[in-house]
Amino acid sequence: MATARRATVLALLLGCSRTRAPTSPPLRDELGRPVHVRTLPAHRVVSLAPNVTEILFALGAQETLVGVDSFSDYPPAATQVARVGTDLEPSFEKIVALRPDVVVTATTANPQQAAEAIERMGVPIYVTRTETLADLEPTVLDLGVLVGRAQAAHALAARIREGVAGVRAATARAPRVRTLLLVWSDPLFVVGKHTYTSDLLAAAGGANVAEDAGDGFPKYSLERVLRHQPEVMIVGSHKNDDPKQSPFAYWQRFPELPAVRTGRLHAVDGDLIFRPGPRVVEGARALAAILHPELAR
Amino acid sequence: MNAPVAPRVTAARLGGVLALLALALAGALVLAVTIGVETVSWRAALTAGTPDRAIVVQARLSRVLLGAVVGAALAGSGVTFQALLRNPLADPYVLGVSAGAAVGATLAILSGAGWAPLLPVWAFLGALGTVALVYAVGRVRGRLVPHVALLAGVVFNAFAGGIIVALTFLARPGRAQEVLLWLVGALGSPAWEHLLAVAAWTALGLLALVVLAPRMNALALGDEGAHSVGIDVEATRRALFVAASLLTGAAVAVAGPIGFVGIVVPHALRLLLGPDHRLLLPASALGGALFLSLCDTAARLAFLPLGSEPGVGVVTALIGGPFFLVLLWRRRGERLF
């Protein structure tokens, strides 16, 4: 609320910049909205999502990054770039002060109001939408065009495509393992269908038992977990996690669950499976190693 | 207080009313256990180790029992705060005592000291601190002025909300999320040892209040009146504040601040049964358990198509908010403050 109000005040103060004439032909972002990037390719980019930051680094476009959100921590060099606040509440003042040609957001990380508030201050916003694994390739190519690295983008897209295909081929003959992907245990949030994480699980030879939860990363019912009897439960770990607290402590009271009974409770580096970026291949491999240890050579 | 004409509290009446409420509560609990997201085979539920049994016992029964315990604790502390401040609008939520308990519990969770069975102790300390503050501000020249205390509580409520939000900003991301979700006022399915801990704290608090119930009646006479019938007013108040804080702390520690149970239940029962705390107090405890069980069932039923269980605080607020306004409306002729 407070930030939205502040944004409005700023927008009024900076009203003149809103009328600035576009200096390049309109480009369309992944929501199909026209974006008047100040120069194309963009030389000064602010990334408000960790996956966008990772993709831009992988394209060799780190020189264009003048600002990143505070969760952008990979590759390590990303932490040297100026911070502009969190994905949810970026600092509008810092963004404007960086004079970016374009600010890149992600529908999976940033609220649309934040993007629109920045846009009202006359800063062009390019929204990426990478909700499923199939969306990742277009996002990489679009970002390649945005920063003038189309060739590197084609190479990166191919590398991701082939990497995931390799994991898919390796697990193709293995039986599907009924898996629950946890975002949070109590209250319970899970990985639903039509998500890149669920797609990675499928490539790794798993079946998401929480497909009935709906799209995205919804709240889920404990009763359904007990009904679906997952064979494996996987949680995305984070470096901010309390090392003293097991992510599975909550589940130990349910020995009725096959995953608990057989000890198939695993943590995967959350950044590999919850960031639709270049490292999803590693994420798919990590999931496959958990689901199908028999395939590991 | 314009005491409605109510029949005297006899052993038979006490027993009859409590038995009736206990029966209704038992019915509500059975109903609550039969309703849920998943369809359950009752034959399978009787066999150990089946998913059906886990759904009924681990997921539902623990949540349902928790709701009953929390409801009893909140209604019991509501009655007590109303007696203490001689004001029917007093309740742990409105007075900021729930928020104070939440601050205590939030500090414990964020600092990593939040071992679940001891969380009620932290919440109790937060509640007690709030009560001490409200009481200190509400005492004008050695006498408790109820409306000043009530206003102090209302202000502290907003202040405590700010403290909690500020605390979550300082916390590591995962922990902050945990706190924010807990603050919605939700009943999860607790582990049995947590449930037992909260039930024990609640039983202790309610027992103390039942013993103190005759003195609560004396407080209704006003300070001088209570004094004239041989009650140590200060000592009684302190004991009641501690017991009510204990109950609020226990409830908030497991379920977050759930509003309005402490107002709706005691007030409805006061209209039905009269103001005698020897009956009103145990009846409110049972009634609170009944009310929160029904609210929780309603919440789960309403959201059944979504396949997940919402926070019960939503339903108590939807019922309690209008109830509170009607209460104010009906009393608009009287001098409230």
Side-chain angles (χ1 to χ4, degrees):
Chain A
M1 275 306 254
T3 45
R5 209 161 39 234
R6 194 170 61 199
T8 315
V9 172
L10 262 176
L12 289 172
L13 289 175
L14 301 170
C16 54
S17 57
R18 225 193 292 182
T19 54
R20 180 179 298 172
T23 52
S24 58
L27 178 81
R28 291 195 176 267
D29 69 8
E30 295 186 349
L31 296 182
R33 308 169 327 131
V35 184
H36 301 287
V37 183
R38 285 176 184 161
T39 59
L40 193 66
H43 297 306
R44 297 179 66 80
V45 179
V46 169
S47 159
L48 288 185
N51 70 314
V52 171
T53 305
E54 287 197 27
I55 292 171
L56 290 175
F57 265 89
L59 295 180
Q62 58 269 32
E63 299 301 318
T64 64
L65 270 176
V66 293
V68 294
D69 69 288
S70 56
F71 297 131
S72 281
D73 54 3
Y74 191 90
T79 59
Q80 305 302 315
V81 183
R83 300 282 156 138
V84 297
T86 67
D87 303 11
L88 298 176
E89 293 188 314
S91 161
F92 301 124
E93 300 181 17
K94 283 185 182 163
I95 292 171
V96 171
L98 288 169
R99 293 177 291 107
D101 295 328
V102 66
V103 173
V104 184
T105 66
T107 53
T108 48
N110 312 107
Q112 189 60 21
Q113 308 96 284
E116 283 164 7
I118 298 168
E119 208 160 41
R120 278 197 297 275
M121 298 188 296
V123 178
I125 293 284
Y126 189 97
V127 181
T128 62
R129 177 160 61 187
T130 322
E131 277 154 21
T132 66
L133 197 52
D135 293 336
L136 181 53
E137 195 168 324
T139 298
V140 168
L141 297 179
D142 287 343
L143 288 176
V145 170
L146 194 66
V147 297
R149 294 198 160 256
Q151 216 171 353
H154 278 286
L156 177 61
R159 185 171 74 68
I160 293 171
R161 184 173 59 235
E162 284 155 19
V164 173
V167 175
R168 202 186 298 278
T171 62
R173 287 157 181 269
R176 304 289 95 176
V177 180
R178 299 165 42 70
T179 306
L180 180 70
L181 291 166
L182 294 164
V183 176
W184 200 259
S185 291
D186 184 24
L188 182 60
F189 284 84
V190 298
V191 175
K193 65 178 172 186
H194 298 142
T195 57
Y196 46 86
T197 313
S198 197
D199 294 341
L200 287 176
L201 180 72
N208 185 359
V209 297
E211 291 243 308
D212 56 353
D215 294 349
F217 303 88
K219 195 161 187 296
Y220 200 53
S221 163
L222 175 62
E223 295 189 11
R224 290 208 166 152
V225 179
L226 292 168
R227 173 62 75 205
H228 289 321
Q229 299 276 298
E231 299 166 71
V232 174
M233 286 163 66
I234 295 173
V235 66
S237 63
H238 197 270
K239 49 184 158 311
N240 280 323
D241 288 344
D242 185 348
K244 285 174 296 187
Q245 219 172 359
S246 161
F248 297 110
Y250 173 84
W251 294 99
Q252 296 304 329
R253 76 182 84 148
F254 303 108
E256 297 84 357
L257 293 172
V260 177
R261 201 166 49 232
T262 59
R264 296 192 74 181
L265 307 167
H266 297 272
V268 170
D269 180 352
D271 294 346
L272 300 183
I273 57 172
F274 290 124
R275 282 185 190 178
R279 291 192 289 165
V280 293
V281 178
E282 289 170 61
R285 288 195 188 119
L287 291 174
I290 288 168
L291 298 177
H292 299 289
E294 74 279 2
L295 296 179
R297 263 170 281 169
Chain B
M1 186 163 277
N2 55 336
V5 184
R8 292 174 60 83
V9 173
T10 61
R13 192 166 125 80
L14 185 71
V17 169
L18 295 186
L20 205 66
L21 279 167
L23 205 65
L25 175 60
L29 294 180
V30 169
L31 179 74
V33 170
T34 55
I35 290 173
V37 169
E38 285 296 316
T39 320
V40 168
S41 148
W42 292 95
R43 186 187 300 254
L46 292 175
T47 318
T50 58
D52 299 78
R53 188 189 184 93
I55 289 171
V56 169
V57 176
Q58 301 269 31
R60 279 186 206 164
L61 187 62
S62 61
R63 172 178 171 136
V64 165
L65 291 178
L66 180 70
V69 170
V70 167
L74 290 175
S77 67
V79 172
T80 310
F81 283 121
Q82 285 144 29
L84 278 165
L85 299 183
R86 296 199 289 274
N87 189 315
L89 301 182
D91 121 292
Y93 194 72
V94 174
L95 273 175
V97 181
S98 290
V103 170
T106 303
L107 276 172
I109 294 174
L110 294 182
S111 67
W115 185 53
L118 280 184
L119 206 55
V121 178
W122 291 94
F124 166 58
L125 292 177
L128 204 59
T130 310
V131 163
L133 181 85
V134 167
Y135 191 41
V137 174
R139 267 168 65 108
V140 181
R141 284 186 289 280
R143 295 163 52 93
L144 180 68
V145 184
H147 72 262
V148 176
L150 199 60
L151 278 175
V154 168
V155 171
F156 182 80
N157 196 1
F159 177 62
I163 294 179
I164 291 170
V165 173
L167 283 175
T168 57
F169 268 104
L170 301 174
R172 39 171 108 211
R175 282 261 171 75
Q177 192 188 14
E178 192 177 342
V179 169
L180 289 174
L181 289 164
W182 166 78
L183 282 175
V184 178
L187 293 172
S189 303
W192 293 108
E193 60 266 29
H194 300 174
L195 180 61
L196 219 61
V198 176
W201 288 110
T202 301
L204 193 69
L206 286 175
L207 199 68
L209 289 181
V210 167
V211 172
L212 291 167
R215 296 189 185 198
M216 283 187 187
N217 287 342
L219 284 185
L221 304 170
D223 286 11
E224 284 83 10
H227 202 71
S228 71
V229 294
I231 299 287
D232 181 343
V233 174
E234 273 305 297
T236 303
R237 276 212 187 103
R238 290 214 177 104
L240 288 174
F241 272 134
V242 170
S245 302
L246 185 69
L247 288 173
T248 309
V252 170
V254 283
I258 294 176
F260 299 107
V261 180
I263 288 188
V264 173
V265 174
H267 200 78
L269 288 173
R270 203 178 280 115
L271 288 175
L272 286 172
L273 304 174
D276 190 326
H277 288 92
R278 287 170 299 171
L279 176 57
L280 183 59
L281 191 101
S284 291
L286 285 172
L290 175 64
F291 177 72
L292 202 58
S293 297
L294 291 177
C295 281
D296 187 36
T297 306
R300 292 191 297 157
L301 266 180
F303 287 78
L304 217 48
L306 298 182
S308 79
E309 296 91 354
V312 68
V314 179
V315 177
T316 62
L318 286 178
I319 296 173
F323 187 91
F324 192 100
L325 292 176
V326 167
L327 201 60
L328 278 171
W329 180 258
R330 288 185 42 173
R331 287 174 58 94
R332 69 195 184 281
E334 301 169 34
R335 203 175 145 271
L336 267 182
F337 295 113

